[in-house]
Amino acid sequence: MICGITKISLDNYRKPEYFYSGFFIMKNVDYIIVGDGYAALFFAHQLIKNNKSFVLFSEQKKSASQISAGIINPVVLKKFTTFWKAQEQIDFLKRTLNEIESYTGQNYLINAPIHRIFHDEKEKELWLKKSENDELKFFLDKNFDHLKVVKNDFYTGKVNQSARLDVNGFFVGLFGFLENQGCIIKEKFKYSDLNSSLNTYKDFSYKNILFCEGMGVRQNPFFLDIPVNANKGHHIKVNLSQPIPQNITIKKKHFLFPLNEKIYFYGGTYDRDHLHHGIDDSAVEQLKKGLSEFYPYDFSIIEANFGLRPTVKDRRPIIGKHSKFQNMYVFNGLGARGILNGCYFSKSLFDHIEKNIPLPEEVSLERFASK
């Protein structure tokens, strides 16, 4: 038993079924998924768990999800507040990662809590005050820590239940599993080859199709009008001359944590204005300055990366069906909390499609219908 459910068995896992249609051999699937980020893979897990056949079209580009920090954090660390369904999302993520472990053989959760460096005594006092709040008392640790190596004159506050996802391991493991099962198509999805009347795409016949394309939705003729906006984020990988002794995640302006014994991740930035596809030198300088503020030793930048996060004005995902094609769906706008949002709402979407359970109004595509 895993997390109160029967361990997932692949003995009866449904692969695509083949049938003849004229001169063509058609492959019949319950779902086509388009995308290769958190939304796509967590929804694919729901299909695996519920014995649904599918294929996933992956363009094999590094999505914003795949270069993300992988931070799992129930607290907004600027204001020491939490967010909608934080506890439910963290609990669900842990259960889901245990389920995924049953068929990949790996659990990608890294139990390395966030330590927020306080700027002054007032922040410590605010932290303690907020820790008495019913919504925050299980997240804000009242015992302060003093870390070695980094500057933290006013100590740090630990965020309980925070952690990280092994991002590279997660995507390598899930993509590898899907490839072994024959469920992944490594090519760009061509909208012109989709016949939404016959429910076919090339040589595939489908019951439902789901688009999880991030900012790629801007090229999707079926959902190009959904109100997602790009937020460009940079991070750097650095070699620290003096390593941090603990396997933790340090937060001041940005997040610092080890990728291995020598290399550390530091990021990421937020930029809604400079959205070209390239590294911004100003963002790299911002990260160098931010790291230097609390790390007093030499470090060298090994590489810099960026991604375009799909964000929504109300900071909640966009999930729902097309207004005309009732078996066509979108799952987008996960933002900076892509892991938690992608995991938790994948089940909401699956239950909506398969069990006709209404989507929460807060994330439904229909909330924009009259706007």
Side-chain angles (χ1 to χ4, degrees):
M1 301 287 287
I2 296 179
C3 296
I5 68 167
T6 303
K7 183 176 180 179
I8 294 173
S9 171
L10 300 178
D11 294 342
N12 298 315
Y13 176 68
R14 293 182 60 200
K15 294 184 179 181
E17 299 172 351
Y18 297 81
F19 66 94
Y20 286 97
S21 176
F23 296 102
F24 299 98
I25 298 177
M26 299 294 289
K27 286 164 275 190
N28 190 24
V29 293
D30 294 318
Y31 287 83
I32 289 178
I33 304 173
V34 182
D36 44 22
Y38 290 127
L41 290 191
F42 279 121
F43 190 80
H45 168 69
Q46 291 297 322
L47 300 183
I48 293 168
K49 180 179 174 181
N50 290 279
N51 197 30
K52 299 293 182 180
S53 62
F54 68 97
V55 288
L56 183 148
F57 281 84
S58 169
E59 198 173 342
Q60 297 292 288
K61 289 185 177 181
K62 288 286 186 181
S63 65
S65 296
Q66 293 177 49
I67 66 167
S68 66
I71 302 296
I72 301 163
N73 176 25
V75 178
V76 180
L77 290 170
K78 286 185 177 181
K79 303 177 181 179
F80 307 151
T81 58
T82 189
F83 52 86
W84 184 54
K85 293 184 178 294
Q87 186 67 66
E88 293 96 321
Q89 290 191 39
I90 286 179
D91 292 342
F92 188 77
L93 175 66
K94 291 177 180 178
R95 293 196 299 271
T96 299
L97 292 176
N98 281 340
E99 293 167 4
I100 290 173
E101 182 182 8
S102 71
Y103 56 85
T104 66
Q106 298 290 327
N107 193 304
Y108 305 106
L109 185 68
I110 301 173
N111 289 306
I114 297 169
H115 285 253
R116 165 66 150 78
I117 295 177
F118 294 122
H119 293 82
D120 50 39
E121 288 291 340
K122 289 184 178 180
E123 279 197 336
K124 288 172 66 176
E125 294 172 3
L126 178 61
W127 179 286
L128 282 176
K129 181 179 179 180
K130 291 291 187 74
S131 70
E132 300 292 337
N133 186 293
D134 287 342
E135 290 187 332
L136 289 161
K137 63 183 179 182
F138 296 111
F139 301 140
L140 301 183
D141 199 307
K142 295 181 180 180
N143 298 309
F144 299 137
D145 294 312
H146 189 270
L147 305 180
K148 297 179 180 180
V149 179
V150 298
K151 294 179 181 178
N152 54 128
D153 296 340
F154 300 98
Y155 288 68
T156 69
K158 184 174 73 171
V159 180
N160 294 326
Q161 302 190 58
S162 62
R164 297 197 308 269
L165 185 75
D166 175 2
V167 175
N168 183 66
F170 176 82
F171 282 101
V172 169
L174 267 293
F175 281 140
F177 172 79
L178 294 180
E179 185 167 10
N180 289 337
Q181 296 294 315
C183 295
I184 189 167
I185 308 294
K186 297 179 180 179
E187 64 181 49
K188 183 178 177 63
F189 188 89
K190 296 181 179 179
Y191 307 106
S192 58
D193 289 335
L194 177 65
N195 189 321
S196 52
S197 299
L198 296 178
N199 296 331
T200 60
Y201 176 75
K202 294 187 175 180
D203 57 350
F204 287 96
S205 174
Y206 63 87
K207 293 181 181 177
N208 300 287
I209 185 166
L210 172 63
F211 293 101
C212 311
E213 303 162 289
M215 290 311 305
V217 76
R218 287 286 181 246
Q219 283 74 52
N220 186 325
F222 301 101
F223 291 106
L224 56 81
D225 291 329
I226 67 170
V228 294
N229 301 295
N231 187 314
K232 190 174 185 178
H234 284 76
H235 75 255
I236 54 177
K237 293 180 181 178
V238 296
N239 190 325
L240 302 184
S241 60
Q242 184 70 24
I244 309 299
Q246 307 101 315
N247 182 21
I248 58 175
T249 300
I250 299 173
K251 172 70 164 69
K252 196 171 185 185
K253 287 185 177 179
H254 308 288
F255 292 101
L256 175 71
F257 57 84
L259 295 171
N260 55 46
E261 292 183 0
K262 295 182 179 180
I263 309 303
Y264 288 73
F265 178 109
Y266 185 64
T269 62
Y270 293 86
D271 188 347
R272 299 183 184 276
D273 300 318
H274 305 94
L275 302 178
H276 65 282
H277 283 267
I279 300 294
D280 295 312
D281 292 339
S282 60
V284 175
E285 286 300 315
Q286 176 186 338
L287 290 169
K288 287 171 61 178
K289 182 179 178 181
L291 181 55
S292 299
E293 286 182 7
F294 69 93
Y295 183 77
Y297 303 98
D298 292 335
F299 63 88
S300 58
I301 297 177
I302 297 171
E303 66 178 66
N305 291 293
F306 76 94
L308 298 177
R309 311 178 188 93
T311 63
V312 186
K313 188 174 182 180
D314 61 10
R315 301 189 177 186
R316 290 178 180 167
I318 297 177
I319 310 170
K321 70 173 64 174
H322 193 274
S323 58
K324 179 179 178 182
F325 305 109
Q326 297 298 292
N327 63 343
M328 183 181 292
Y329 298 86
V330 66
F331 189 4
N332 208 310
L334 302 188
R337 299 192 188 100
I339 298 169
L340 292 173
N341 282 331
C343 181
Y344 187 83
F345 292 108
S346 65
K347 185 177 187 302
S348 299
L349 178 56
F350 179 84
D351 288 344
H352 176 64
I353 298 172
E354 294 291 334
K355 303 175 185 178
N356 203 30
I357 297 175
L359 289 165
E361 293 180 2
E362 293 88 346
V363 300
S364 174
L365 174 62
E366 294 182 1
R367 72 188 189 271
F368 301 107
S370 60
K371 297 181 180 181

